[in-house]
């Protein structure tokens, strides 16, 4: 009986193949032009909002309710921590 079990397991083990070695890609870093693009988009959005012809626009006239202001203040740290986590995932921790 022992020989039958031993031969069975030897046969099963011989059928197994080792998986291929995983390839690790280089860490993706943010290129300088991406930072420049983000800065240009931020400046463009500010210009669009603060153009004198838009002074009476709905974007500038937005007012937040007291409950929404409190909710935003409470969620501010959570949002900042989420942004920090996202940046660490994308470019890695600088202290490594």
């Amino acid at each position: 009986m022992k020989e039958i079990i031993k031969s069975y397991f030897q046969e099963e083990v011989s059928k197994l193949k080792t998986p291929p070695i995983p390839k690790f890609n280089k860490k993706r870093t943010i290129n300088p032009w991406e930072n420049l693009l983000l800065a240009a988009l931020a400046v463009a959005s500010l210009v669009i909002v603060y153009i004198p012809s838009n002074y009476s626009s709905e974007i500038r006239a937005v007012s937040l309710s007291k409950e929404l202001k409190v909710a935003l203040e409470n969620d501010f740290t959570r949002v900042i921590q989420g942004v920090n986590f996202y940046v660490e995932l994308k470019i890695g921790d600088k202290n490594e």
Side-chain angles (χ1 to χ4, degrees), residues 11-25:
E11 183 182 331
E12 289 297 317
V13 168
S14 67
K15 290 179 185 177
L16 294 176
K17 293 182 181 178
T18 58
I21 296 174
K23 295 179 181 178
F24 294 101
N25 294 335

Side-chain angles (χ1 to χ4, degrees), residues 22-94:
K23 295 179 181 178
F24 294 101
N25 294 335
K26 194 174 154 184
K27 274 188 178 178
R28 184 184 180 280
T29 58
I30 294 178
N31 297 325
W33 64 268
E34 290 178 346
N35 289 336
L36 293 173
L37 178 64
L38 288 174
L41 288 173
V43 169
S45 65
L46 288 174
V47 167
I48 290 172
V49 170
Y50 287 104
I51 290 177
S53 64
N54 290 338
Y55 278 161
S56 61
S57 70
E58 291 181 19
I59 295 173
R60 295 194 60 165
V62 169
S63 62
L64 300 174
S65 66
K66 190 172 186 176
E67 294 83 17
L68 187 56
K69 284 183 182 178
V70 170
L72 286 174
E73 288 172 1
N74 292 338
D75 290 342
F76 185 72
T77 55
R78 181 184 57 82
V79 170
I80 296 300
Q81 289 171 349
V83 168
N84 185 31
F85 179 70
Y86 175 79
V87 168
E88 284 181 4
L89 282 178
K90 287 296 180 184
I91 63 171
D93 191 8
K94 296 290 184 186

